[in-house]
Amino acid sequence: MPTRSNTTILFVLAFALLPGMAISQTVALPFRPVAAEYSTALDRIIMITGSPNQLHIYNPATKTDVAVNLSKPPLSLSISPDGMHAAVGHDSLISYVNLATQAFEKTLPAPTMVASLALGTNYVYIPNTGSVQISTGNLNSAVSVPGATVARLHPGGAGLYTIAPGSPSLLADVDVSGGPMGTASTGPYSGDYPVCGGLWFSPDGRRVYTGCATVFQANPSVPGTSEFSWTRLDTRQDGLYWATLA
């Protein structure tokens, strides 16, 4: 099996996320990313690395990079809905970085290791812990999903999607329309379709993809009471329905 250098990694731009770049193109980076996200507003790839502990703001058009130093090894990464800020999870700490000014802005306390997080407009959501208010650093732990290790904020900003552990694992939609994490729904399915790994949304927010190759699609085209209990489908603030593609 080929080995990879500790100082260089080939970062493959898959799924043609970046306009004008062929899917086969690769770029050699002088660091090993722990996680990566894309800011559409800034047209930048945001990455985090350890040794040194940094957040990287990478311009794929010019192949230039701006590094922002972090105080601890980074564990997780999320970009705000407007693409202008990033939250980085650490052990008992969250770093809040301004991507527009390319500068570290503040740290927020966390009661646990932040292996997964999702950044909203006013809160940082730690799925297994609660909601941290960005302006004050206060933790609202009234609602969480114990054991959850992955979280994604719906593009509409009103729903936090996470995977509730257990047997079977369930895709959970947590209402965050009021700010902190609120009531959660797991839809009508319980073990009917596999749910695992990461979570991703289509650009228009109407589909949810899971690491088990299960896709949840909006607006099922089968109306009527003769079909399987469509009244149980989740149609709350974010407007998504729970159904799977054939």
Side-chain angles (χ1 to χ4, degrees), residues 105-118:
E105 196 162 303
K106 64 166 67 176
T107 58
L108 302 168
T112 185
M113 181 178 292
V114 187
S116 177
L117 80 171

Side-chain angles (χ1 to χ4, degrees), residues 2-14 24-33 47 58:
T3 59
R4 289 183 290 182
S5 165
N6 290 329
T7 58
T8 303
I9 184 170
L10 289 180
F11 189 81
V12 181
L13 303 177
S24 61
Q25 288 181 298
T26 61
V27 177
L29 301 175
F31 50 80
R32 184 185 297 274
M47 295 171 277
Y58 184 78

Side-chain angles (χ1 to χ4, degrees), residues 54-79:
Q54 292 179 326
L55 177 141
H56 294 264
I57 305 171
Y58 184 78
N59 186 331
T62 62
K63 299 180 177 60
T64 56
D65 177 59
V66 175
V68 179
N69 291 327
L70 302 170
S71 61
K72 286 186 174 184
L75 304 174
S76 52
L77 171 67
S78 180
I79 306 299

Side-chain angles (χ1 to χ4, degrees), residues 121-182:
T121 302
N122 299 309
Y123 285 84
V124 179
Y125 303 104
I126 309 173
N128 61 355
T129 302
S131 311
V132 179
Q133 191 171 29
I134 297 170
S135 61
T136 64
N138 292 336
L139 172 68
N140 184 327
S141 58
V143 177
S144 64
V145 183
T149 58
V150 62
R152 284 272 180 178
L153 186 68
H154 182 263
L160 178 72
Y161 283 74
T162 186
I163 298 176
S167 182
S169 295
L170 301 173
L171 183 60
D173 173 9
V174 184
D175 184 5
V176 295
S177 60
M181 295 170 66

